[in-house]
Amino acid sequence: MQPIISITNLCKQYGEKTVLNNINLEVYPGQIIGYIGPNGAGKSTTVKVLTGVIQDYTGNVQVAGKDLRENLMDIKRMIGYVPELAELYDLLTPREYLHFTGTLYGMDANLIEERMVKMLDSFGLADNIDQRMDSFSKGMRQKVLLASGLLHNPSIVILDEPLSGLDANAVILVKELLQRLKQEGKTIFYCSHMMDVVEKVSDTIVLIDKGIILANGTFEELRAGSGQSLEQIFSKLTMADNLMGKAGDFASAMTSNNTNEQL
């Protein structure tokens, strides 16, 4: 089987700072890839390269056998992207916003309407479909973003903290949805800090820190011999040691007294 995404010697610098340092990664159709790392590790930069937002990188990126630089627009049509932080057009309704999004992908208006109604109904937003989004909660906005990213039925889905702000039932729905998409042969590139979710949904887990891939394998392969949780493995590989001590220091700072404070 040929990889759907093939990254070879990917490097990206901002001035003298190296954000991605010779990233090599292959992702296959029907896989859920958990892409994890501390803040500033290079996760978002990798995603921005894959989605064509960043183009001044070195190395080679191929998607579906096509060079990303040379076939950028064709590849963008294959990708559905749900960013962690996104600005919605608050004065639009979900219906208006999703029609706008679908039109950008060249979708027929009737098809947009049909898919949009079903998606929003599944998320419990049927009654809000014609309500302006400036009154929406974070969770409601996230549901609209998820619908927007999947509306055109992409073969590659890139999710950056997709569960942010969602209620418990919506989280369960999204987890089930990921499995359905996987069964349909779609590739899911899943970025998150929620280790328990990554551990449960991912076929392969890739851990990146300081622009370098530190681990790449199934959860069973990563924990072989140690019996540790993904959270413990993450802490060990990224050298985030003495977290209990740091938490204690933070808590004690909250109750410390100012010696100069006058009673």
Side-chain angles (χ1 to χ4, degrees):
M1 181 185 296
Q2 295 296 314
I4 186 74
I5 299 173
S6 180
I7 300 175
T8 307
N9 298 328
L10 175 61
C11 295
K12 170 61 184 172
Q13 287 186 299
Y14 290 105
E16 296 183 356
K17 182 179 180 181
T18 299
V19 182
L20 297 176
N21 189 358
N22 283 316
I23 297 296
N24 290 279
L25 181 64
E26 289 187 341
V27 181
Y28 292 86
Q31 276 191 328
I32 300 178
I33 302 297
Y35 199 62
I36 61 175
N39 290 333
K43 302 188 303 298
S44 294
T45 302
T46 306
V47 167
K48 288 177 181 178
V49 169
L50 288 174
T51 54
V53 176
I54 292 176
Q55 299 178 41
D56 57 335
Y57 57 86
T58 62
N60 182 262
V61 180
Q62 290 195 338
V63 179
K66 299 179 179 180
D67 183 89
L68 179 60
R69 286 192 183 93
E70 297 177 1
N71 302 274
L72 185 57
M73 294 310 296
D74 288 341
I75 290 172
K76 280 188 174 185
R77 294 186 183 96
M78 301 171 56
I79 294 175
Y81 176 39
V82 180
E84 179 180 7
L85 299 173
E87 292 293 332
L88 290 172
Y89 295 101
D90 283 349
L91 299 184
L92 296 183
T93 67
R95 187 191 302 274
E96 292 168 339
Y97 179 74
L98 292 174
H99 267 285
F100 168 70
T101 302
T103 300
L104 292 177
Y105 283 102
M107 296 175 61
D108 177 77
N110 291 330
L111 181 59
I112 296 173
E113 184 74 15
E114 179 184 347
R115 290 183 180 176
M116 171 192 63
V117 169
K118 290 180 179 178
M119 288 177 171
L120 294 181
D121 184 53
S122 297
F123 274 134
L125 292 181
D127 294 337
N128 309 98
I129 195 169
D130 292 311
Q131 179 182 340
R132 279 186 9 177
M133 292 186 290
D134 56 357
S135 63
F136 278 20
S137 67
K138 178 174 175 56
M140 294 169 73
R141 290 166 176 264
Q142 190 68 10
K143 292 173 182 179
V144 175
L145 283 172
L146 283 162
S148 174
L150 298 172
L151 188 66
H152 61 294
N153 192 25
S155 55
I156 300 171
V157 181
I158 299 177
L159 305 173
D160 194 352
E161 297 290 356
L163 305 183
S164 178
L166 296 183
D167 56 75
N169 286 332
V171 168
I172 294 171
L173 188 155
V174 172
K175 288 180 182 177
E176 291 297 322
L177 176 61
L178 293 181
Q179 296 303 320
R180 288 287 299 271
L181 296 176
K182 172 186 170 181
Q183 292 170 10
E184 293 174 5
K186 299 185 186 301
T187 302
I188 316 295
F189 201 88
Y190 188 105
C191 301
S192 179
H193 290 108
M194 299 175 67
M195 298 296 158
D196 56 334
V197 178
V198 172
E199 180 179 318
K200 292 175 182 176
V201 306
S202 302
D203 299 303
T204 300
I205 298 170
V206 178
L207 197 163
I208 182 174
D209 189 24
K210 298 181 178 65
I212 299 171
I213 291 179
L214 301 181
N216 181 358
T218 65
F219 174 59
E220 289 73 21
E221 290 171 343
L222 265 57
R223 75 194 294 256
S226 69
Q228 294 180 315
S229 68
L230 182 58
E231 191 174 75
Q232 292 169 321
I233 296 169
F234 179 93
S235 178
K236 179 180 179 180
L237 291 178
T238 58
M239 294 184 291
D241 54 358
N242 196 26
L243 292 179
M244 294 295 290
K246 292 177 182 177
D249 291 343
F250 189 98
S252 64
M254 295 169 59
T255 56
S256 62
N257 294 318
N258 188 340
T259 56
N260 297 321
E261 186 178 275
Q262 295 182 357
L263 298 177

